[in-house]
Amino acid sequence: DLPYLDSHTVGQIVTQFKLHQNKKIVIPVNQGRLGHPVVFPVAYLPQLSQLEGDEGAKSIIQAAKDDIEQVNVTSTGVFQDVDVPGDLHSYNG
C-alpha cells in the first residue's frame, strides 16, 4: 500500500537492515520525518502479532528507541500510505 515507493529506497532500507545483522528496527527518514516501510527484526514478531485493527506499531517503536536505525532517503514515497482509492488522489508528491 505504498505505490510511490521506489526500488532504490527499498534497497537502502534493506541494506541498512542487513548492515545491522537484522537486529535493528529500520525506519526511512526524509527531511527529519519518519516514513514507511518500517522493517522489524523477527524478535518483535510477538509484539507485532498482538496489534489489532489500524493500531500501527508506533507504540512498539517508541518503546524500542535503542533498537532503531534511521536511514535517510530522498523519496517522498515513504509518506504516502494508500489504504483506499481516494488516497491516490490526495497525493501531492
Side-chain angles (χ1 to χ4, degrees):
D1 66 349
L2 296 163
Y4 304 104
L5 188 64
D6 59 80
S7 62
H8 175 73
T9 302
V10 171
Q12 288 179 279
I13 296 165
V14 170
T15 297
Q16 196 68 27
F17 188 65
K18 287 179 180 180
L19 281 174
H20 290 281
Q21 301 173 345
N22 305 345
K23 295 183 180 178
K24 293 272 189 179
I25 297 171
V26 177
I27 304 175
V29 178
N30 179 295
Q31 297 182 3
R33 187 173 159 205
L34 302 179
H36 295 280
V38 177
V39 180
F40 288 87
V42 71
Y44 285 90
L45 186 58
Q47 294 169 359
L48 291 166
S49 65
Q50 292 180 4
L51 296 174
E52 295 181 6
D54 202 20
E55 184 177 343
K58 188 179 276 191
S59 62
I60 296 171
I61 292 168
Q62 290 173 340
K65 293 196 185 265
D66 293 337
D67 284 339
I68 303 235
E69 183 65 31
Q70 296 181 3
V71 57
N72 289 313
V73 300
T74 58
S75 173
T76 58
V78 298
F79 302 130
Q80 188 59 30
D81 181 21
V82 174
D83 294 318
V84 296
D87 291 345
L88 285 169
H89 302 294
S90 66
Y91 182 63
N92 294 323

